[in-house]
């Protein structure tokens, strides 16, 4: 471990004083094994306390710190700076309104989630113990339950940018997660909700979401399976 | 203008502070009864640190082995080094199965046995494979599932709100005041019942598995309200923190068979816990690890040892422990399939906290008198279920089970009681905290926090002694003084992270003093509290809980709250 000098450009926006976002460069010295989050903390704690960003767990599971580094959506906490060299730029996720600096308004993201009934719905009587679900049945949904709702996928989706009504990859992945859960009894309702020009059909299999996903979930593939299910269901 | 007419005034039956497992489970219980439940959380709910729990949730389902409630109870009591209240443990194990089946019915994607039942794995200190798990992301899926069910049942969410004061008068809690982080400004919440489910206080340490958010806010609010805290000196150090980062590598690795080795390549646990080896409880393993490091057998003489997964094979590592594999790869560039992973003990879990009875009602003294309308559950609370040391996978179970119990009791209380009047000038205390920081002094709060954390890791770690603790106390006093001169760079209202961190620091400085005073006074070693100068457990003098208040600027202690012990579970020597 050694100290290195880096130049970080951050897209700043202070709602009390700025009319629009602008770049600010910070020249600082950090450990060479630092993460992007370490860099933000260093700036915030030692140089400029006004810098705002979200962070919590530091271990890639809470989903707070999704942001754009050199144009790529990443989780700041798990991303080492050596991927980007000694000069790089950090900006907030695209497609969301900026509240301040790197903090964006994710309320629309969570509102979309609510539209697909994002919870298991069981009509049959509950068993005394657990539902039987085989490892093969679990396999259908296993990877999709890794989603941490960080919004990196939706922010990377060109179909989402021009159309605020589009459900987007995260909400659709959540729909997939319940439609394909062997315990759920509400697939028909969900398939009807996503069978819409602002549902699965707005996904043009661009694969940006998959590339952006820090959990490496094969989102586009699951959305394709969801499309297939919609078609099967309407035949 | 009357308070009730103010824009930022809310009247809600049950207000729950914290959106982790305990808070969400309580909110769900209240909301399902038809009453209004609001969750106030400083992060979006799915960002809560329950999601960081990896290995499993304990329940004696007996799906993969013979198991019993009695065995779970005994293991928990022994794990606690006999400081747990056994009536609480009994209630806990009796409710645990129901809690897991409920979760499964809500949609939790538990890993399965071949015949489709919930799979279970071994965990430290448990005599049977009792950890129900979803790969190594158990906390994550439990948290998200609960959040989903809360959406279904119309729980109200106040996301990104920081609670700054409790409204308590005449031993009745009437609500609280919180700062809206996103836009700035204080909000008054008048409530019939308030739950503090604010999680642990591990952020007082530099090397910690805890999230930035885990600053013990609820614990500090209770202390500030003139109420006691319980057993704060008991803090668990997790043996497998990722080296330098402190972030958690789940005990599930060892549950699946991973080894811990020193510089000589020895599985040194054979010296410390020959029967259980790596699956001894966390306090035992962390002490062993720290001893190896202190005696020069850390890797290349440095302050870490290895967690070795290689013999488990690629398939098992990637299917059962994918998150651990990713964390080591991303943070240390170590591939656990081919190389051992550097680890060190890391501050992990707060056994102490806000004292409460079996109904989760907050108590104000050793006699058990309650503060009406005030409840606590999860890591913020001290019932005491975990005593001096918690077993892995008992925390998710604790949070969910006592979250549900809290929700039920809050519902009853709300039905039977009207809203109590708020005290005069409810905003005053909260406003004063904000004003002082905005007026500001020359001290940087980040520097003060750094000094606190570094010194807590140095002096209040796995091994403690009087000299170190007295030094720590002096450091805290000095830092508390300096905090009076602390200000913020950011004078804006919207998303003022600078302000939030400064407010959190006040909390860290406040309860850290209680931790140190409690540890100094307790002249014995029990569970996670180990004193090199008093290395034995002393049941004659110290089989009792610590209650601590801040009175006139001093920490005062009361030891008359006895440990609840059943005849069949008398304290014995603790060997593994």
């Amino acid at each position: 471990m050694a100290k290195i000098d880096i130049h970080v450009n951050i897209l700043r926006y202070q709602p009390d004083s700025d009319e629009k976002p602008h770049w600010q460069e910070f020249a600082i010295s950090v450990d060479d094994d630092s993460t992007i989050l370490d860099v933000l903390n260093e700036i915030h704690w030692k140089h400029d306390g006004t810098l705002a960003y979200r962070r919590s767990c530091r271990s890639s599971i809470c989903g707070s710190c999704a942001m754009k580094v050199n144009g790529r959506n990443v989780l700041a906490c798990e991303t080492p700076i050596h991927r980007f060299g000694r000069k790089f730029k950090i900006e907030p996720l695209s497609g969301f309104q900026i509240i301040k600096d790197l903090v964006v308004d994710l309320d629309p993201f969570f509102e979309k989630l609510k539209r697909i009934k994002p919870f298991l719905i069981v009509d049959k009587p509950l068993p005394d113990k657990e539902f039987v679900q085989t490892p093969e049945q679990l396999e259908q949904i296993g990877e999709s339950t890794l989603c941490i709702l960080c919004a990196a996928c939706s922010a990377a989706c060109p179909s989402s940018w021009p159309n605020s009504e589009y459900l987007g990859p995260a909400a659709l992945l959540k729909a997939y997660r319940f439609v394909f859960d062997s315990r759920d009894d509400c697939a028909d309702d969900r398939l009807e909700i996503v069978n819409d020009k602002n549902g699965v059909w707005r996904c043009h299999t661009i694969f940006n979401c998959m590339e952006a996903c820090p959990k490496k979930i094969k989102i586009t593939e699951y959305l394709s399976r969801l499309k297939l299910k919609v078609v099967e269901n309407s035949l | 203008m009357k308070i009730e007419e103010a824009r930022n005034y809310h009247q809600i039956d049950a207000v729950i502070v914290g959106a982790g497992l305990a808070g969400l489970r309580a909110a769900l219980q209240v909301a399902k009864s038809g009453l209004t439940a609001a969750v106030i959380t400083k992060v979006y709910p799915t960002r809560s640190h329950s999601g960081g729990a990896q290995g499993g949730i304990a329940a004696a389902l007996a799906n993969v082995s013979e198991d019993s409630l009695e065995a779970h109870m005994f293991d928990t009591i022994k794990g606690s080094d006999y400081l747990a209240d056994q009536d609480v443990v009994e209630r806990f194990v009796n409710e645990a199965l129901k809690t897991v089946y409920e979760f499964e019915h809500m949609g939790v994607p538990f890993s399965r046995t071949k015949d489709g039942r919930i799979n279970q794995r071994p965990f430290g200190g448990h005599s049977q494979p009792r950890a129900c798990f979803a790969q190594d992301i158990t906390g994550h899926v439990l948290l998200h599932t609960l959040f989903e069910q809360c959406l279904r049942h119309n729980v109200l969410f106040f996301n990104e709100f920081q609670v700054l004061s409790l409204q308590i008068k005449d031993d009745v809690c009437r609500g609280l005041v919180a700062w809206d982080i996103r836009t700035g400004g204080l909000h008054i919440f008048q409530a019939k019942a308030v739950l503090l489910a604010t999680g642990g206080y591990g952020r007082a340490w530099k090397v910690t598995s805890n999230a930035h958010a885990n600053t013990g806010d609820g614990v500090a609010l209770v202390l500030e309200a003139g109420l006691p805290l319980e057993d704060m000196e008991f803090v668990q150090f997790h043996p497998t923190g990722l080296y330098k980062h402190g972030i958690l590598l789940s005990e599930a690795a060892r549950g699946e068979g991973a080894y811990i080795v020193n510089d000589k390549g020895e599985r040194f646990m054979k010296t410390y816990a020959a029967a259980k080896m790596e699956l001894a409880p966390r306090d035992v393993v962390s002490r062993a690890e720290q001893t190896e490091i202190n005696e020069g057998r850390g890797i290349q003489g440095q302050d870490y040892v290895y967690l070795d997964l290689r013999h488990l094979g690629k398939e098992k590592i990637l299917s059962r422990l994918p998150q651990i594999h990713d964390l080591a790869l991303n943070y240390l560039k170590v591939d656990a399939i081919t190389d051992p992973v550097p680890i060190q003990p890391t501050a992990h879990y707060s056994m102490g906290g806000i004292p409460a009875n079996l109904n989760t009602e907050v108590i104000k003294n050793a006699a058990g008198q309650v503060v009406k309308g005030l409840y606590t559950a999860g890591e913020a609370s001290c019932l005491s279920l975990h005593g001096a040391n918690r077993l892995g996978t008992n925390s998710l179970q604790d949070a969910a089970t006592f979250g549900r119990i809290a929700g039920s009791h809050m519902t009853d209380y709300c039905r039977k009681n009207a809203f109590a009047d708020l005290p005069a000038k409810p905003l005053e205390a909260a406003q004063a905290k904000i004003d002082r920081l905005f007026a500001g002094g020359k001290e940087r709060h980040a520097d003060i926090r750094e000094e606190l954390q570094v010194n807590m890791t140095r002096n209040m770690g796995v091994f403690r002694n009087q000299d170190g603790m007295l030094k720590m106390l002096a450091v805290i006093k000095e830092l508390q003084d300096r905090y009076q001169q602390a200000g913020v760079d950011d004078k804006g209202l919207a998303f003022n992270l600078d302000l939030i961190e400064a407010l959190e620091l006040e909390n860290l400085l406040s309860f850290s003093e209680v931790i140190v005073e409690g540890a100094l006074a307790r002249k014995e070693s029990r569970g996670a509290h180990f004193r090199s100068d008093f290395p034995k457990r002393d049941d004659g003098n110290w089989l009792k809980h610590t209650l601590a208040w801040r009175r006139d600027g001093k920490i005062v202690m009361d030891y008359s709250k006895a440990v609840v012990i059943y005849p069949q579970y008398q304290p014995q020597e603790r060997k593994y």
Side-chain angles (χ1 to χ4, degrees), chain B residues 50-87:
Chain B
S50 297
Q54 297 169 3
I57 176 168
L61 304 187
N63 278 1
V64 301
S65 72
E66 293 294 311
D67 201 356
S68 67
L69 300 185
E70 291 73 24
H72 190 186
M73 184 162 174
F74 175 71
D75 292 343
T76 301
I77 292 166
K78 184 180 174 189
S80 82
D81 221 348
Y82 295 90
L83 194 68
D85 287 314
Q86 298 183 8
D87 53 342

Side-chain angles (χ1 to χ4, degrees), chain A residues 120 122 126-131 183, chain B residues 21 24-26 28-29 32 57 59 61 95-110 112 118 141-142 145-146 149 152 397 399-405 408:
Chain A
L120 192 79
V122 178
L126 295 173
D128 289 339
K129 295 184 172 180
E130 68 268 56
F131 284 108
R183 298 165 293 184
Chain B
L21 234 51
L24 292 185
R25 189 61 192 83
L28 181 62
Q29 197 70 5
K32 281 169 101 169
I57 176 168
L61 304 187
E95 301 267 349
L97 276 63
K98 177 183 169 183
T99 300
V100 168
Y101 291 136
E102 267 182 0
F103 269 130
E104 201 279 334
H105 298 160
M106 290 179 199
V108 169
F110 283 111
R112 300 288 170 153
I118 295 170
V141 293
L142 294 177
T145 301
L146 264 186
Q149 292 296 320
R152 182 180 189 183
Q397 183 60 258
T401 288
F402 284 100
R404 180 180 67 234
I405 289 169
S408 295

Side-chain angles (χ1 to χ4, degrees), chain A residues 61 145-146, chain B residues 21 49-58 100 103 108-111 118-119 121 123 131-146 250 252 320 323 393 396-397:
Chain A
I61 195 70
T145 65
L146 269 171
Chain B
L21 234 51
H49 205 47
S50 297
Q54 297 169 3
I57 176 168
V100 168
F103 269 130
V108 169
F110 283 111
S111 294
I118 295 170
N119 204 350
R121 63 162 56 116
F123 239 77
C132 313
F133 63 96
Q135 289 188 327
D136 58 356
I137 53 164
T138 314
H140 161 76
V141 293
L142 294 177
L143 179 70
H144 280 245
T145 301
L146 264 186
S250 173
R320 294 286 184 91
Q323 183 175 200
T393 70
L396 290 176
Q397 183 60 258

